Amino acid sequence: RAQPPAPPAATPPDAPGDALGNASPVTLITGTILGSDGRPLPAADARLYTARASPRLLAAAGADAAGRFAVATTARGTVVLA
């Protein structure tokens, strides 16, 4: 049986390091974007923002033909996926 294709590559965020040059851990958020009819939305966009009064875009990725996406971030705290 054929395996489904992997989710599309996410736009990589800038990976700040600490004072010793160690990279921050990366969190990968994956999912499927569905329409109101419950069917996958091909070519939809997933965007990750800071959860602040003035949101800042952290990462973005397009969904594949099956609506799957993957976004990576080194941000800590609460974020908003839209």
Side-chain angles (χ1 to χ4, degrees), residues 36-52:
S36 59
D37 61 0
R39 297 173 66 180
L41 280 176
D45 291 322
R47 294 187 177 107
L48 192 66
Y49 295 92
T50 56
R52 298 182 181 154

Side-chain angles (χ1 to χ4, degrees), residues 9-69:
T11 302
D14 292 332
D18 61 18
L20 300 175
N22 297 317
S24 298
V26 175
T27 299
L28 182 64
I29 301 168
T30 63
T32 303
I33 301 173
L34 304 174
S36 59
D37 61 0
R39 297 173 66 180
L41 280 176
D45 291 322
R47 294 187 177 107
L48 192 66
Y49 295 92
T50 56
R52 298 182 181 154
S54 298
R56 181 175 55 91
L57 180 65
L58 297 171
D64 65 11
R68 292 178 302 224
F69 71 92

